[in-house]
Amino acid sequence: MSKTSSMGRGLLAVLAVGSRHAAGHPGGSVAEVAADLEKDRSQVARSLRTAEQEGFLVRSGRAYTLGWEFLTDAQLITAHRLQSDGSTALDALAAETDEACFLGVLQGDSTVTIGESVPASSNLVGSWLGRPYPAYCSDAGQAVLWEASEAEVRTVFSNVAFIRHGPKTPASIEEFLARRDAARARGYSIVDEEAEPGLYSLAVPIRDFKGDVVAALQIVGIKDRLQPRRDSCAAALMAQGRWLESRLGFPPQP
């Protein structure tokens, strides 16, 4: 589509408002969007008004924000891509690492597996699809709560008893937060015999077009087999994580 056509200009204006949302701004005025696009204000104003009339944008005072219908459609597309492109990422990651790979989401105070790719050589048996596990010690727990505030984490675990599932299960919210802080500094989480004895996993958060963490991509394996290859597996994990995020509309990070 030509950027000089009326439809092309309208789409650029909508995308510019979306970019402002992604950057943490509450939408944008005509002047702000025009400055972002380096376009004439009168031309941008017409494009924004047209996008508003079509339901893509909502105007509140001087600011334009993305319309609810637009956001709903985008989130439905994101959910579909998380499944379809998530499967592609899982298969590629499992093939490269020769380990079991999973995609998990947060549901209440548990994580639930929504995708998996398990090579026969991984020595893991059974499927985890649809099965919940306590988020405070699950393979995906730190990653799905990657950007949650301390208050939000405390709310998630407010009614949770920190039962020991493995020799290194965190015993409290404070211990969980400390491990998550270390993971964020490292760039990926390590869950070392927290879920069960002898089990070791790596995970990264997966963000969508709004910058929200919507899932965790994980590599899970026997500790004696996976831990010695941690660095190479983590590199593959982060690369596939970035690819999947790009498919969900999250912009590349410097």
Side-chain angles (χ1 to χ4, degrees), residues 226-242:
L226 179 53
Q227 187 180 38
R229 300 186 298 123
R230 188 192 80 182
D231 291 347
S232 62
C233 287
L237 175 67
M238 290 189 286
Q240 286 300 325
R242 288 192 295 268

Side-chain angles (χ1 to χ4, degrees), residues 205-217:
I206 301 298
R207 303 170 183 85
D208 67 3
F209 66 99
K210 303 189 303 300
D212 294 339
V213 175
V214 293
L217 185 63

Side-chain angles (χ1 to χ4, degrees), residues 92-101 188-189 200-204 217-222 225-241:
L93 188 59
E96 183 173 354
T97 63
D98 200 28
E99 297 287 355
C101 300
Y188 59 92
S189 67
Y200 191 87
S201 67
L202 314 173
V204 292
L217 185 63
Q218 313 140 238
I219 302 175
V220 182
I222 305 303
R225 166 183 164 123
L226 179 53
Q227 187 180 38
R229 300 186 298 123
R230 188 192 80 182
D231 291 347
S232 62
C233 287
L237 175 67
M238 290 189 286
Q240 286 300 325

Side-chain angles (χ1 to χ4, degrees), residues 47-224:
S47 297
L48 290 171
R49 284 197 299 270
T50 300
E52 179 189 10
Q53 292 167 359
E54 295 297 326
F56 293 116
L57 297 176
V58 174
R59 185 177 180 181
S60 177
R62 294 184 177 182
Y64 286 89
T65 60
L66 293 177
W68 287 111
E69 290 184 6
F70 184 86
L71 285 170
T72 299
D73 289 344
Q75 287 176 320
L76 289 173
I77 292 172
T78 297
H80 175 73
R81 284 187 170 176
L82 185 59
Q83 288 285 351
S84 58
D85 293 325
S87 294
T88 301
L90 287 168
D91 288 343
L93 188 59
E96 183 173 354
T97 63
D98 200 28
E99 297 287 355
C101 300
F102 301 88
L103 195 63
V105 298
L106 182 68
Q107 288 190 8
D109 55 24
S110 299
T111 59
V112 177
T113 300
I114 63 169
E116 62 184 13
S117 183
V118 183
S121 58
S122 70
N123 296 323
L124 294 183
V125 296
S127 172
W128 272 95
L129 285 175
R131 294 170 59 184
Y133 205 83
Y136 67 86
C137 65
S138 77
D139 303 306
Q142 294 174 37
V144 293
L145 291 166
W146 195 262
E147 292 178 353
S149 67
E150 179 179 337
E152 289 170 330
V153 172
R154 290 185 181 279
T155 298
V156 169
F157 296 139
S158 60
N159 296 313
V160 172
F162 279 62
I163 299 170
R164 191 174 185 179
H165 290 264
K168 298 182 182 179
T169 300
S172 65
I173 293 177
E174 287 73 21
E175 194 169 349
F176 174 87
L177 287 168
R179 295 183 188 186
R180 189 196 61 166
D181 289 345
R184 292 196 293 192
R186 186 189 306 114
Y188 59 92
S189 67
I190 298 174
V191 175
D192 180 4
E193 295 190 295
E194 296 178 24
E196 63 179 79
L199 200 65
Y200 191 87
S201 67
L202 314 173
V204 292
I206 301 298
R207 303 170 183 85
D208 67 3
F209 66 99
K210 303 189 303 300
D212 294 339
V213 175
V214 293
L217 185 63
Q218 313 140 238
I219 302 175
V220 182
I222 305 303
K223 181 176 180 177
D224 290 345

